[in-house]
């Protein structure tokens, strides 16, 4: 995919500056910070495990103040079947020692195998769909990011959902959330988003 059409925006993958290209290895703790759950690197995969009913969070060490998107290959580690989650524009709440104001996107989540994006925190802002069905155990390529609060999630080159936040989160970490599940992640790319306005209108059909 070279371009992505959002509501009123066009994203250019080939023009988006590559900030990090990472294949998990022994140096993984130089790039990532485990916040909750159990994280390890094995056989070229980052593996996150959290048996409790909350997220095992892995944060990028680097914080990104500009709009970024990141792509990665992910799968549920069977017999786990749910919540292939990523976080972006993500912040940590030191008082609760848990994920603070952040965007969360995921597959097979929201307790009913839905896919979507939500804003973690007090806003109760989310967008979900039951139309995308992830087959547990299979690898998919996901891309997620936000442009001034306009969040999007792409799976295998298909736009699954987007969400526009009227009070956007600006800047933060990217990472992953194993929410009561076990995830495997590899082939990570982080890019500064190149985009332009994309005026949309209908031409008469008849």
């Amino acid at each position: 995919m070279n371009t992505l059409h959002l509501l009123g925006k066009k994203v250019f993958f080939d023009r988006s500056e590559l900030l990090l290209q990472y294949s998990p290895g022994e140096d993984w703790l130089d790039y990532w910070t485990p916040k909750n759950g159990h994280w390890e690197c094995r056989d070229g995969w980052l593996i996150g495990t959290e048996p409790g009913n909350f997220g095992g969070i892995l944060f990028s060490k680097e914080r990104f103040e500009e709009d970024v998107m990141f792509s990665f290959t992910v799968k549920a580690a069977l017999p786990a079947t749910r919540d292939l989650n990523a976080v972006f524009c993500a912040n940590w709440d030191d008082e609760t020692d848990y994920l603070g104001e952040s965007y969360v996107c995921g597959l097979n989540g929201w307790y009913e195998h839905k896919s979507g994006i939500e804003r973690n925190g007090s806003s109760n802002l989310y967008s979900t769909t039951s139309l995308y069905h992830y087959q547990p155990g299979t690898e998919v390529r996901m891309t997620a990011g936000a442009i001034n609060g306009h969040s999007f999630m792409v799976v295998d080159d298909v736009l699954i959902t987007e969400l526009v936040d009227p009070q956007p989160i600006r800047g933060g970490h990217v990472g992953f959330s194993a929410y009561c599940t076990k995830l495997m992640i590899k082939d990570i790319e982080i890019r500064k988003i190149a985009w332009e306005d994309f005026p949309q209108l209908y031409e008469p059909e008849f």
Side-chain angles (χ1 to χ4, degrees), residues 47-195:
I47 302 172
T49 307
E50 176 48 68
N53 195 45
F54 52 90
I57 310 294
L58 184 71
F59 262 16
S60 61
K61 287 218 178 264
E62 185 173 354
R63 178 183 172 89
F64 302 94
E65 300 303 337
E66 298 181 279
D67 293 332
V68 298
M69 60 183 171
F70 69 127
S71 304
F72 50 92
T73 299
V74 61
K75 67 178 179 178
L78 297 174
T81 63
R82 55 187 175 233
D83 283 81
L84 284 74
N85 292 345
V87 298
F88 49 100
C89 299
N91 297 277
W92 195 254
D93 188 328
D94 291 326
E95 290 188 8
T96 62
D97 195 29
Y98 193 59
L99 187 66
E101 292 289 334
S102 308
Y103 297 120
V104 182
C105 71
L107 309 178
N108 276 26
W110 288 272
Y111 307 102
E112 296 179 349
H113 301 287
K114 294 180 180 179
S115 301
I117 300 173
E118 72 175 21
R119 176 170 175 162
N120 188 73
S122 58
S123 70
N124 199 34
L125 184 68
Y126 62 92
S127 172
T128 61
T129 178
S130 58
L131 297 178
Y132 178 86
H133 300 283
Y134 168 72
Q135 181 62 43
T138 61
E139 296 181 21
V140 293
R141 187 71 178 169
M142 291 179 63
T143 298
I147 302 168
N148 192 27
H150 188 161
S151 301
F152 56 90
M153 178 177 66
V154 174
V155 180
D156 291 336
D157 292 337
V158 176
L159 177 64
I160 303 302
T161 191
E162 54 189 306
L163 175 69
V164 178
D165 186 350
Q167 296 181 305
I169 303 170
R170 300 184 184 279
H173 300 268
V174 302
F176 308 97
S177 172
Y179 197 100
C180 199
T181 193
K182 185 174 183 178
L183 297 182
M184 301 178 68
I185 301 138
K186 67 177 182 178
D187 300 334
I188 303 163
E189 294 182 348
I190 303 173
R191 294 179 180 271
K192 180 180 175 182
I193 302 177
W195 68 280

